Coordinates of all heavy atoms in Angstrom, one line a residue:
M1 N -5.9 -4.0 -8.4 CA -5.0 -3.0 -8.9 C -4.2 -2.3 -7.8 O -3.0 -2.1 -7.8 CB -5.6 -1.9 -9.7 CG -6.2 -2.3 -11.0 SD -6.9 -1.0 -12.0 CE -5.5 -0.3 -12.8
V2 N -4.8 -2.2 -6.5 CA -4.1 -1.6 -5.4 C -3.1 -2.5 -4.9 O -1.9 -2.2 -4.7 CB -5.2 -1.2 -4.4 CG1 -4.5 -0.8 -3.1 CG2 -6.2 -0.2 -4.8
I3 N -3.5 -3.8 -4.9 CA -2.5 -4.8 -4.4 C -1.3 -4.9 -5.3 O -0.2 -4.9 -4.9 CB -3.1 -6.3 -4.3 CG1 -4.3 -6.2 -3.3 CG2 -2.1 -7.3 -3.9 CD1 -4.0 -6.0 -1.8
A4 N -1.6 -4.9 -6.7 CA -0.4 -4.8 -7.6 C 0.5 -3.6 -7.4 O 1.7 -3.8 -7.5 CB -1.0 -4.9 -9.0
A5 N -0.1 -2.5 -7.2 CA 0.7 -1.3 -7.1 C 1.6 -1.4 -5.8 O 2.7 -1.0 -5.8 CB -0.2 0.0 -6.9
V6 N 1.0 -2.0 -4.6 CA 1.7 -2.2 -3.5 C 2.9 -3.1 -3.7 O 4.0 -2.9 -3.2 CB 0.8 -2.6 -2.3 CG1 1.6 -3.1 -1.1 CG2 -0.3 -1.6 -1.9
C7 N 2.6 -4.3 -4.4 CA 3.6 -5.2 -4.6 C 4.8 -4.5 -5.4 O 6.0 -4.9 -5.1 CB 3.1 -6.3 -5.5 SG 2.0 -7.4 -4.5
E8 N 4.5 -3.8 -6.4 CA 5.4 -3.1 -7.2 C 6.3 -2.2 -6.3 O 7.6 -2.2 -6.5 CB 4.8 -2.3 -8.3 CG 5.9 -1.7 -9.3 CD 5.2 -1.0 -10.5 OE1 4.1 -1.4 -10.8 OE2 5.8 0.0 -11.0
V9 N 5.6 -1.4 -5.6 CA 6.4 -0.4 -4.7 C 7.3 -1.2 -3.6 O 8.5 -0.7 -3.4 CB 5.5 0.6 -4.1 CG1 6.2 1.4 -3.0 CG2 4.9 1.5 -5.1
L10 N 6.8 -2.1 -3.1 CA 7.5 -2.9 -2.1 C 8.5 -3.9 -2.7 O 9.4 -4.3 -2.0 CB 6.6 -3.6 -1.1 CG 5.6 -2.8 -0.2 CD1 4.7 -3.6 0.5 CD2 6.5 -1.9 0.8
G11 N 8.3 -4.2 -3.9 CA 9.3 -5.2 -4.6 C 9.1 -6.6 -4.1 O 10.0 -7.3 -3.8
V12 N 7.8 -6.9 -3.8 CA 7.4 -8.3 -3.4 C 6.4 -8.9 -4.3 O 5.7 -8.2 -5.1 CB 6.9 -8.3 -1.9 CG1 7.8 -7.7 -1.0 CG2 5.5 -7.6 -1.9
A13 N 6.4 -10.2 -4.4 CA 5.5 -11.0 -5.2 C 4.2 -11.0 -4.4 O 4.0 -10.9 -3.2 CB 6.0 -12.5 -5.3
R14 N 3.1 -11.1 -5.2 CA 1.7 -11.1 -4.6 C 1.6 -12.2 -3.6 O 0.9 -12.0 -2.6 CB 0.7 -11.3 -5.8 CG -0.7 -11.5 -5.3 CD -1.2 -10.3 -4.6 NE -2.6 -10.4 -4.0 CZ -2.9 -10.8 -2.8 NH1 -2.0 -11.0 -1.9 NH2 -4.1 -10.9 -2.4
A15 N 2.1 -13.4 -3.9 CA 2.1 -14.5 -3.0 C 2.6 -14.3 -1.6 O 2.3 -14.9 -0.7 CB 2.7 -15.7 -3.6
D16 N 3.6 -13.3 -1.6 CA 4.3 -13.0 -0.4 C 3.7 -11.8 0.4 O 4.2 -11.5 1.4 CB 5.8 -12.6 -0.6 CG 6.5 -13.8 -1.3 OD1 6.2 -15.0 -0.9 OD2 7.5 -13.6 -2.1
L17 N 2.6 -11.3 -0.1 CA 2.0 -10.2 0.5 C 0.7 -10.6 1.3 O -0.2 -11.1 0.6 CB 1.6 -9.2 -0.5 CG 1.1 -7.7 0.0 CD1 2.3 -7.0 0.4 CD2 0.4 -7.0 -1.2
D18 N 0.7 -10.4 2.6 CA -0.5 -10.6 3.4 C -1.3 -9.3 3.6 O -0.9 -8.4 4.3 CB 0.0 -11.1 4.8 CG -1.2 -11.5 5.7 OD1 -2.4 -11.3 5.3 OD2 -0.9 -11.9 6.8
P19 N -2.4 -9.2 2.9 CA -3.3 -8.0 3.0 C -3.8 -7.7 4.3 O -4.4 -6.6 4.5 CB -4.3 -8.3 1.9 CG -4.4 -9.7 1.7 CD -3.0 -10.2 2.2
R20 N -3.7 -8.7 5.3 CA -4.3 -8.3 6.6 C -3.4 -7.5 7.5 O -3.6 -7.0 8.4 CB -4.6 -9.8 7.3 CG -5.7 -10.4 6.6 CD -5.8 -11.9 7.2 NE -4.6 -12.6 6.8 CZ -4.2 -13.8 7.2 NH1 -5.1 -14.5 7.9 NH2 -3.0 -14.3 6.9
R21 N -2.1 -7.4 7.0 CA -1.1 -6.7 7.6 C -1.1 -5.2 7.2 O -1.5 -4.8 6.1 CB 0.3 -7.3 7.4 CG 0.5 -8.7 7.9 CD 1.7 -9.3 7.7 NE 2.8 -8.6 8.5 CZ 4.1 -8.7 8.1 NH1 4.5 -9.4 7.3 NH2 4.9 -8.0 8.9
S22 N -0.6 -4.4 8.0 CA -0.6 -2.9 7.7 C 0.7 -2.7 6.8 O 1.7 -3.5 6.8 CB -0.4 -2.0 9.0 OG 0.9 -2.2 9.4
L23 N 0.6 -1.6 6.0 CA 1.8 -1.4 5.1 C 3.0 -1.0 6.0 O 4.1 -1.2 5.6 CB 1.4 -0.1 4.3 CG 0.4 -0.5 3.1 CD1 -0.1 0.7 2.4 CD2 0.9 -1.5 2.2
R24 N 2.7 -0.4 7.2 CA 3.9 -0.2 8.1 C 4.6 -1.5 8.3 O 5.8 -1.7 8.4 CB 3.4 0.5 9.3 CG 4.6 0.7 10.4 CD 4.0 1.5 11.6 NE 2.9 0.7 12.2 CZ 1.9 1.3 12.8 NH1 1.9 2.6 12.9 NH2 0.9 0.6 13.3
D25 N 3.9 -2.6 8.7 CA 4.3 -3.9 9.0 C 5.1 -4.4 7.9 O 6.0 -5.4 7.9 CB 3.2 -4.9 9.5 CG 2.7 -4.5 10.8 OD1 3.3 -3.7 11.6 OD2 1.6 -5.0 11.1
L26 N 4.6 -4.1 6.6 CA 5.1 -4.7 5.4 C 6.4 -3.8 5.0 O 7.0 -4.0 3.9 CB 4.2 -4.6 4.3 CG 3.0 -5.6 4.6 CD1 1.9 -5.3 3.5 CD2 3.4 -7.0 4.4
R27 N 6.8 -2.8 5.9 CA 8.0 -2.1 5.7 C 8.0 -0.9 4.7 O 8.9 -0.6 4.1 CB 9.3 -3.0 5.4 CG 9.5 -4.1 6.4 CD 10.1 -3.6 7.6 NE 10.6 -4.6 8.5 CZ 10.1 -4.8 9.7 NH1 9.3 -4.0 10.1 NH2 10.6 -5.8 10.4
L28 N 6.7 -0.4 4.5 CA 6.6 0.8 3.7 C 7.1 2.0 4.4 O 6.7 2.2 5.5 CB 5.1 0.9 3.4 CG 4.8 2.1 2.4 CD1 4.9 1.6 0.9 CD2 3.5 2.7 2.6
D29 N 8.0 2.7 3.7 CA 8.6 3.9 4.4 C 8.0 5.1 3.7 O 7.1 5.0 2.8 CB 10.1 4.0 4.2 CG 10.6 4.0 2.8 OD1 9.9 4.5 1.9 OD2 11.8 3.4 2.6
S30 N 8.4 6.3 4.1 CA 7.7 7.6 3.7 C 7.9 7.8 2.2 O 7.0 8.3 1.5 CB 8.1 8.7 4.5 OG 9.4 8.9 4.6
L31 N 9.0 7.5 1.7 CA 9.3 7.7 0.3 C 8.5 6.7 -0.5 O 7.9 7.1 -1.5 CB 10.8 7.5 0.1 CG 11.3 7.8 -1.3 CD1 11.0 9.2 -1.8 CD2 12.8 7.6 -1.4
M32 N 8.4 5.5 0.0 CA 7.6 4.5 -0.8 C 6.1 5.0 -0.7 O 5.4 4.7 -1.7 CB 7.7 3.1 -0.1 CG 9.0 2.5 -0.4 SD 9.0 1.0 0.6 CE 10.6 0.2 0.1
A33 N 5.8 5.5 0.4 CA 4.3 6.0 0.5 C 3.9 7.1 -0.5 O 2.9 7.0 -1.1 CB 4.0 6.4 1.9
V34 N 4.8 7.9 -0.8 CA 4.7 9.0 -1.8 C 4.6 8.4 -3.2 O 3.7 8.6 -4.0 CB 5.8 10.1 -1.7 CG1 5.7 11.0 -2.9 CG2 5.7 10.8 -0.4
Q35 N 5.5 7.4 -3.4 CA 5.4 6.7 -4.7 C 4.2 5.9 -4.9 O 3.5 6.0 -6.0 CB 6.6 5.7 -4.8 CG 6.9 5.1 -6.2 CD 8.0 4.2 -6.1 OE1 8.7 4.0 -5.1 NE2 8.1 3.6 -7.2
L36 N 3.7 5.3 -3.9 CA 2.5 4.4 -3.9 C 1.3 5.3 -4.1 O 0.3 5.0 -4.9 CB 2.3 3.6 -2.7 CG 1.1 2.7 -2.6 CD1 1.0 1.8 -3.7 CD2 1.1 2.0 -1.3
R37 N 1.3 6.5 -3.4 CA 0.2 7.4 -3.6 C 0.0 7.8 -5.0 O -1.0 7.9 -5.6 CB 0.4 8.6 -2.7 CG -0.8 9.6 -2.8 CD -0.5 10.8 -1.9 NE -1.7 11.7 -2.0 CZ -1.9 12.7 -2.8 NH1 -0.8 13.0 -3.7 NH2 -2.9 13.5 -2.8
K38 N 1.2 8.2 -5.7 CA 1.2 8.7 -7.1 C 0.6 7.4 -8.0 O -0.3 7.8 -8.9 CB 2.5 9.0 -7.5 CG 3.0 10.3 -7.1 CD 4.4 10.7 -7.6 CE 4.9 11.9 -7.0 NZ 6.3 12.1 -7.5
Q39 N 1.1 6.3 -7.7 CA 0.6 5.1 -8.5 C -0.9 4.9 -8.4 O -1.6 4.6 -9.3 CB 1.4 3.9 -8.2 CG 2.7 3.9 -8.8 CD 3.4 2.6 -8.6 OE1 2.8 1.6 -8.1 NE2 4.7 2.5 -9.0
L40 N -1.4 5.0 -7.1 CA -2.8 4.8 -6.9 C -3.6 5.9 -7.5 O -4.8 5.5 -8.0 CB -3.0 4.7 -5.3 CG -2.5 3.4 -4.6 CD1 -2.7 3.6 -3.1 CD2 -3.0 2.2 -5.2
K41 N -3.2 7.1 -7.5 CA -3.9 8.1 -8.0 C -4.0 8.0 -9.6 O -5.1 8.2 -10.1 CB -3.4 9.5 -7.6 CG -4.3 10.6 -7.9 CD -3.8 11.9 -7.3 CE -4.9 13.0 -7.6 NZ -4.5 14.3 -7.0
T42 N -2.9 7.8 -10.2 CA -2.9 7.8 -11.6 C -3.4 6.5 -12.2 O -4.0 6.4 -13.3 CB -1.4 8.1 -12.2 OG1 -0.6 7.1 -11.7 CG2 -0.9 9.4 -11.9
G43 N -3.0 5.4 -11.5 CA -3.4 4.1 -12.1 C -4.8 3.6 -11.8 O -5.4 2.9 -12.5
C44 N -5.2 4.0 -10.5 CA -6.5 3.3 -10.0 C -7.5 4.4 -9.8 O -8.7 4.1 -9.4 CB -6.2 2.6 -8.7 SG -5.0 1.4 -8.8
G45 N -7.2 5.7 -9.8 CA -8.1 6.7 -9.6 C -8.3 6.9 -8.0 O -9.3 7.6 -7.6
V46 N -7.6 6.3 -7.2 CA -7.7 6.4 -5.8 C -6.8 7.5 -5.2 O -5.6 7.5 -5.4 CB -7.3 5.1 -5.1 CG1 -7.3 5.1 -3.6 CG2 -8.1 3.8 -5.7
D47 N -7.5 8.4 -4.6 CA -6.8 9.6 -4.0 C -6.7 9.3 -2.4 O -7.7 9.5 -1.7 CB -7.5 10.9 -4.3 CG -6.6 12.1 -4.0 OD1 -5.4 11.9 -3.8 OD2 -7.1 13.2 -4.1
I48 N -5.6 9.0 -2.0 CA -5.3 8.8 -0.5 C -4.1 9.6 -0.1 O -3.2 9.8 -0.9 CB -5.2 7.3 -0.3 CG1 -5.1 6.9 1.2 CG2 -4.0 6.8 -1.0 CD1 -5.2 5.4 1.4
T49 N -4.1 10.0 1.1 CA -3.0 10.8 1.5 C -1.8 9.9 1.9 O -1.9 8.8 2.2 CB -3.3 11.5 2.9 OG1 -3.6 10.6 3.9 CG2 -4.5 12.4 2.7
A50 N -0.6 10.3 1.5 CA 0.6 9.6 1.8 C 0.8 9.3 3.2 O 1.4 8.3 3.6 CB 1.8 10.3 1.2
G51 N 0.3 10.2 4.1 CA 0.4 10.0 5.5 C -0.5 8.8 6.1 O -0.1 8.3 7.1
R52 N -1.5 8.5 5.3 CA -2.3 7.5 5.8 C -1.8 6.1 5.4 O -2.0 5.1 6.2 CB -3.7 7.5 5.0 CG -4.7 6.4 5.5 CD -6.1 6.7 4.7 NE -6.9 5.5 5.0 CZ -7.9 5.2 4.2 NH1 -8.3 5.9 3.2 NH2 -8.6 4.1 4.4
L53 N -1.0 6.0 4.4 CA -0.5 4.7 3.9 C 0.4 4.0 5.0 O 0.2 2.8 5.2 CB 0.3 4.9 2.6 CG -0.7 5.3 1.5 CD1 0.0 5.6 0.2 CD2 -1.6 4.2 1.1
P54 N 1.3 4.6 5.6 CA 2.3 3.9 6.5 C 1.6 3.8 7.9 O 2.3 3.4 8.9 CB 3.5 4.7 6.5 CG 3.1 6.0 6.2 CD 2.0 5.9 5.3
G55 N 0.4 4.1 8.0 CA -0.4 4.0 9.3 C -0.6 2.5 9.7 O -0.1 1.6 9.2
G56 N -1.5 2.3 10.7 CA -1.7 1.0 11.2 C -2.9 0.3 10.5 O -3.1 -0.9 10.9
E57 N -3.6 0.9 9.5 CA -4.7 0.2 8.8 C -4.1 -0.9 8.0 O -3.0 -0.9 7.4 CB -5.4 1.2 7.8 CG -6.1 2.2 8.5 CD -6.9 3.1 7.5 OE1 -8.0 2.8 7.1 OE2 -6.3 4.1 7.1
S58 N -4.9 -1.9 7.9 CA -4.5 -3.1 7.1 C -4.6 -2.7 5.6 O -5.3 -1.9 5.2 CB -5.4 -4.3 7.3 OG -6.7 -4.1 6.8
L59 N -3.9 -3.5 4.8 CA -3.9 -3.3 3.4 C -5.3 -3.6 2.9 O -5.7 -2.9 2.0 CB -2.9 -4.2 2.8 CG -2.8 -4.0 1.2 CD1 -2.6 -2.7 0.7 CD2 -1.7 -4.9 0.7
E60 N -5.9 -4.6 3.4 CA -7.3 -4.9 3.1 C -8.3 -3.7 3.2 O -9.0 -3.4 2.3 CB -7.9 -6.0 4.0 CG -7.3 -7.4 3.7 CD -8.0 -8.4 4.7 OE1 -8.2 -8.1 5.9 OE2 -8.1 -9.6 4.2
R61 N -8.1 -3.0 4.4 CA -9.0 -1.9 4.6 C -8.6 -0.7 3.6 O -9.6 -0.1 3.1 CB -8.8 -1.4 6.1 CG -9.7 -0.3 6.4 CD -9.7 0.0 7.8 NE -10.5 1.2 8.1 CZ -11.3 1.1 9.1 NH1 -11.4 0.2 10.0 NH2 -12.1 2.3 9.3
I62 N -7.4 -0.5 3.4 CA -7.0 0.5 2.5 C -7.5 0.3 1.1 O -8.0 1.1 0.3 CB -5.5 0.8 2.5 CG1 -5.1 1.4 3.8 CG2 -5.1 1.7 1.3 CD1 -3.6 1.5 4.1
A63 N -7.4 -1.0 0.6 CA -7.7 -1.4 -0.8 C -9.2 -1.6 -0.8 O -9.7 -1.7 -1.9 CB -7.0 -2.7 -1.0
G64 N -9.9 -1.7 0.3 CA -11.4 -1.9 0.3 C -11.8 -3.2 -0.2 O -12.8 -3.5 -0.8
I65 N -11.0 -4.3 0.2 CA -11.3 -5.6 0.0 C -11.8 -6.4 1.2 O -11.6 -5.9 2.2 CB -10.1 -6.4 -0.7 CG1 -8.8 -6.3 0.1 CG2 -9.9 -5.8 -2.1 CD1 -7.7 -7.1 -0.4

């Protein structure tokens, strides 16, 4: 569900998303980070700070996969 939310916010297909890359590398900006945070909290029950999302952590690490 986390990957699906990221794909929606970034406007990319799942096949085009490399979860080993950071969201910053995937071009997530601060506005997208706020939007993604809301989606993760309401849709997945994941409460993560918007400031952590565009950091250097891989999407795999954030998603816990």
Side-chain angles (χ1 to χ4, degrees):
M1 292 182 83
V2 173
I3 300 291
V6 170
C7 288
E8 184 178 332
V9 169
L10 292 175
V12 299
R14 173 61 183 101
D16 296 331
L17 189 75
D18 181 357
R20 296 170 296 181
R21 296 179 67 196
S22 71
L23 290 172
R24 177 181 53 217
D25 291 343
L26 295 169
R27 304 285 189 239
L28 183 86
D29 62 30
S30 58
L31 185 57
M32 290 174 175
V34 171
Q35 183 181 3
L36 179 57
R37 180 180 185 270
K38 285 181 186 177
Q39 285 190 3
L40 292 176
K41 189 169 185 176
T42 59
C44 306
V46 175
D47 193 11
I48 187 169
T49 64
R52 181 179 169 199
L53 293 172
E57 288 181 90
S58 70
L59 179 54
E60 284 177 328
R61 184 174 177 134
I62 291 171
I65 55 174

